[in-house]
């Protein structure tokens, strides 16, 4: 039985190979939302004892190894780009299902993160209004927009990315001048943001698990493998996205740490709310007064809103695919409204989940998301070993051993270390979610006697199908 792509008539259109290397890198960086470094700065500075850049450096090293593994798998299995698919094809469909199920928690909670950040911005601008009002308004707005159309947000990506990077560059220049004038630490070049008395490796690893959240999205680059001018550029695009994103985080984190050498400045009178939620508005206010606060908040707001629309639409679409494939009940999750041509039940469900932002902090939700992300990253490293070293037998030369065993092995160990340093509540909640998925897997397969349903798209959902289907 061979696999062929569905004909264009059945797919409703074909994908054009018109994305170059830098276009794909731009999409990846936009998905990562560079301004998030300011949102999480307060909590990371607190947890690491004021070595935020070191936490980003550790996370970047881990992500580089994982990005290399993603690149290898994207080249080996170019028809789809998810940890689920790589594990399903290289190890076993049941294991792949569990990776996909665990990653589902990321997709479901990502819209809530954007809601929490937007809430923090608006609370800073309107301190007298209760936070729950902004959560409700945000959820109604985003759910309403996606309810009627799931298109149009991606066109703003490059504009928002350029805008946010320009604002961040202006911020760095202003901080440089302030450091030269003796403000903050009073030093432009220093090792203090990386190492000083009282810094422990355990605290740094804890901080690195939080900032891993900043890198989530680099793997989304694999989604564009069929639209790239050449599939060969995708592995480079993945690595460049991680390195450039990491460089942006490191530079911004370094100068912010030098300007604010003590995180307590973000906790007036011991109020920890400003630390556990976004510190971006406070950073802008302290560095440039109301003007920079407004500009930096506007950059973060625009990028976060665009990310919120994209993540909300992505979750709804993923649930639709799972419904179409009988992973979830088809009558509800597989429904498409004949008038709006959108999966309205899924969109509303995602909006309802997003309302939980009323009761959670950014720190806690980020920890839950990192649980699933680190599981997926670890699984992709394992899949490289399984696919190349075991299935293809590429383990006989020193070069192959290094590429397909040592490199992914290091990535697997590093992501595993970060996973083990997650917040205890996130570990408990994540394990409970995984256990629920395992029970669901047993029920679906009738005790592993039937083939597990797939997360992959088996029919066109938004005009085309990116996965080959059986003849």
């Amino acid at each position: 039985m061979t696999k062929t792509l569905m004909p264009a008539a059945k797919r409703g259109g074909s994908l054009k190979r018109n994305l170059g290397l830098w276009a794909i890198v731009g999409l990846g960086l936009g998905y990562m939302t560079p301004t998030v470094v300011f949102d999480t700065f307060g909590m990371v500075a607190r947890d690491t004892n004021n070595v935020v850049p070191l936490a980003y450096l550790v996370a970047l090293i881990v992500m580089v190894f994982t990005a290399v593994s993603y690149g290898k798998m994207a080249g080996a299995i170019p028809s789809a780009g998810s940890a689920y698919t790589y594990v399903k094809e290289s190890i076993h469909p049941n294991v792949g299902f569990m990776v996909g199920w665990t990653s589902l928690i990321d997709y479901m909670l990502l819209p809530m993160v954007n809601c929490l950040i937007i809430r923090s911005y608006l609370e800073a601008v309107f301190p007298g209004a209760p936070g729950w009002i902004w959560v409700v308004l945000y959820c109604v707005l985003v759910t309403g927009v996606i309810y009627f159309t799931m298109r149009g947000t991606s066109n703003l990506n490059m504009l928002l990315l350029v805008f946010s990077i320009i604002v961040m560059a202006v911020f760095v220049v202003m901080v440089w001048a302030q450091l030269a004038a003796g403000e903050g630490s009073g030093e432009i070049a220093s090792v203090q943001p990386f190492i000083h008395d009282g810094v422990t490796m355990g605290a740094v690893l804890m901080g690195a698990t939080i900032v891993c959240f900043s890198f989530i999205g680099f793997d989304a680059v694999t989604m564009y493998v069929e639209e790239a001018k050449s599939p060969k550029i995708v592995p480079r695009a993945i690595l460049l996205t991680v390195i450039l994103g990491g460089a942006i985080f490191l530079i911004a984190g370094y100068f912010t740490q030098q300007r604010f050498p003590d995180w307590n400045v973000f906790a007036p009178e011991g109020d920890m709310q400003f630390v556990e939620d976004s510190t971006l508005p406070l950073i802008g206010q302290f560095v440039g007064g109301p003007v920079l606060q407004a500009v930096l908040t506007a950059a973060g707001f625009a990028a976060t809103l665009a990310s919120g629309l994209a993540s909300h639409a992505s979750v709804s679409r993923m649930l639709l695919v799972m419904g179409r494939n009988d992973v979830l009940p088809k009558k509800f999750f597989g429904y498409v409204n004949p008038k709006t041509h959108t999966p309205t039940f899924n969109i509303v469900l995602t909006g309802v989940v997003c309302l939980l932002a009323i009761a959670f902090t950014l720190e806690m939700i980020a920890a839950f998301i990192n649980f699933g992300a680190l599981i997926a990253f670890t699984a992709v490293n394992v899949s490289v070993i399984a696919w190349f070293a075991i299935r293809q037998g590429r383990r006989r030369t020193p070069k192959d051993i290094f590429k397909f065993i040592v490199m992914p092995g290091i990535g697997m160990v590093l992501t595993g270390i970060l996973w083990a340093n997650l917040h205890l509540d996130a570990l408990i909640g994540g394990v409970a979610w995984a256990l629920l998925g395992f029970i669901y897997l047993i029920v679906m397969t009738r005790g592993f006697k039937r083939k597990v349903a797939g997360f992959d798209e088996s029919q066109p959902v938004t005009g085309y199908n990116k996965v080959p289907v059986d003849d």
Side-chain angles (χ1 to χ4, degrees), residues 24 31-32 59-88 90 96 99-100 102-104 106-107 110 212 215-225 231-243 318 369-385 387-388 403-404 407-412 415:
I24 296 176
Y31 203 97
M32 289 169 68
L60 175 59
I61 292 171
V62 176
M63 292 301 107
V64 165
F65 280 95
T66 302
V68 171
S69 291
Y70 264 99
K72 288 185 174 71
M73 295 309 298
I77 308 175
S79 61
S82 68
Y84 153 75
T85 305
Y86 300 151
V87 175
K88 179 191 73 171
S90 63
V99 171
T102 306
S103 300
L104 182 59
D106 299 3
Y107 290 96
L110 272 173
C212 273
F215 288 88
I216 290 177
F218 83 85
D219 54 323
V221 168
T222 58
M223 294 189 301
Y224 304 106
V225 67
K232 295 180 180 179
I233 69 175
V234 174
R236 275 192 296 158
I238 295 172
L239 191 57
L240 278 172
T241 299
V242 170
I243 292 175
M318 181 179 182
I369 289 175
N370 284 338
F371 176 90
L374 289 171
I375 290 291
F377 294 162
T378 304
V380 171
N381 284 303
V382 174
S383 69
V384 171
I385 299 174
W387 180 266
F388 291 98
K403 288 175 60 177
F404 303 124
M407 286 284 288
I410 293 174
M412 179 179 63
T415 51

Side-chain angles (χ1 to χ4, degrees), residues 31 104 106-111 142-150 308-324 328 332-336 341-354 457 461-462:
Y31 203 97
L104 182 59
D106 299 3
Y107 290 96
M108 289 300 298
L109 295 182
L110 272 173
V142 172
T143 302
V145 170
I146 304 299
Y147 188 98
F148 291 105
T149 175
M150 294 180 71
L309 288 166
S311 62
H312 196 120
S314 297
V315 173
S316 304
R317 186 182 185 280
M318 181 179 182
L319 293 174
L320 175 61
V321 172
M322 294 172 69
R324 290 277 182 89
L328 296 173
F332 182 93
F333 293 97
Y335 172 79
V336 175
H341 304 287
T342 57
T344 50
F345 291 165
N346 297 337
I347 292 168
V348 172
L349 175 62
T350 304
V352 171
V353 172
C354 199
E457 186 175 328
V461 177
T462 56

